[in-house]
Amino acid sequence: MTKFNHREIEKLLSALIGATCPIADSEIDRQINENLMVLIDVINWCLDGVYSAASYRKSPYGSQRVVGERAYAAMLEWKEWLENIENELA
């Protein structure tokens, strides 16, 4: 089975989920809100996967540790990014 690369996945998700930024039209923004809820669910699923992978960061097996450390490092980057965004939006 051929896997999609990240650009193909982004394009597919964009087509499947749709727009997520409101445009100040009540009817359209209702649909956009539903799209946003789907996007949040997908992100939560992705974050769960990264968290699961990060649990291997202290594995005695090198290949598992590499995966776990990569996942954990991504989580730390997201934490910093979210803190910056929180300060920006406050």
Side-chain angles (χ1 to χ4, degrees):
M1 181 175 140
T2 304
K3 291 185 180 183
F4 293 110
N5 66 40
H6 71 94
R7 292 190 199 290
E8 293 167 325
I9 292 170
E10 290 167 2
K11 187 175 177 182
L12 180 61
L13 285 173
S14 181
L16 290 172
I17 294 171
T20 56
C21 291
I23 63 167
D25 178 300
S26 297
E27 193 60 36
I28 294 171
D29 286 350
R30 249 189 295 283
Q31 181 60 54
I32 286 173
N33 189 54
E34 289 179 24
N35 296 350
L36 180 62
M37 291 181 345
V38 170
L39 178 60
I40 290 168
D41 288 342
V42 170
I43 290 169
N44 287 338
W45 178 82
C46 292
L47 289 173
D48 285 342
V50 174
Y51 167 72
S52 293
S55 69
Y56 291 92
R57 69 184 284 256
K58 294 183 179 180
S59 170
Y61 303 102
S63 60
Q64 286 183 326
R65 237 185 358 266
V66 167
V67 172
E69 284 295 336
R70 181 178 310 279
Y72 186 72
M75 291 170 59
L76 293 178
E77 287 178 22
W78 296 331
K79 177 185 176 198
E80 183 179 341
W81 179 78
L82 287 168
E83 287 170 345
N84 290 337
I85 295 299
E86 180 184 27
N87 292 334
E88 181 183 308
L89 296 175

